[in-house]
Amino acid sequence: MKTDTHPDYHMINVKMTDGTIFQMKSTWGAEGDQLALDIDPTVHPAWTGGGGRLLDTGGRVSKFKNKYAGLGF
């Protein structure tokens, strides 16, 4: 097997959006570097249940519903 083909795997500090810092292993950066996240599981709608709504005024969803209205959707 070839030597030196894998990246260096080391400890870094990860800073969440709320300011908390934890350590994890990564190939990003160098030993001891800090990675500041813009979006993390504490604020992302996919993990927080997000309040996004579907706004469609006569667009694709309305066309679909009109086209297949008789099928019981």
Side-chain angles (χ1 to χ4, degrees):
M1 184 162 35
K2 291 183 181 179
T3 59
D4 300 327
T5 58
H6 297 285
D8 180 36
Y9 195 58
H10 50 269
M11 295 297 287
I12 64 167
N13 297 320
V14 178
K15 183 177 181 183
M16 305 290 268
T17 54
D18 64 356
T20 58
I21 297 174
F22 68 94
Q23 288 189 330
M24 68 180 296
K25 287 192 151 206
S26 176
T27 58
W28 179 86
E31 179 80 26
D33 281 355
Q34 182 171 319
L35 175 64
L37 300 177
D38 294 331
I39 298 176
D40 62 40
T42 62
V43 296
H44 194 280
W47 289 284
T48 60
R53 285 183 260 146
L54 180 63
L55 298 176
D56 184 48
T57 55
R60 299 171 108 190
V61 174
S62 297
K63 288 179 186 176
F64 178 85
K65 285 182 179 180
N66 291 337
K67 184 175 182 178
Y68 299 106
L71 298 176
F73 287 118

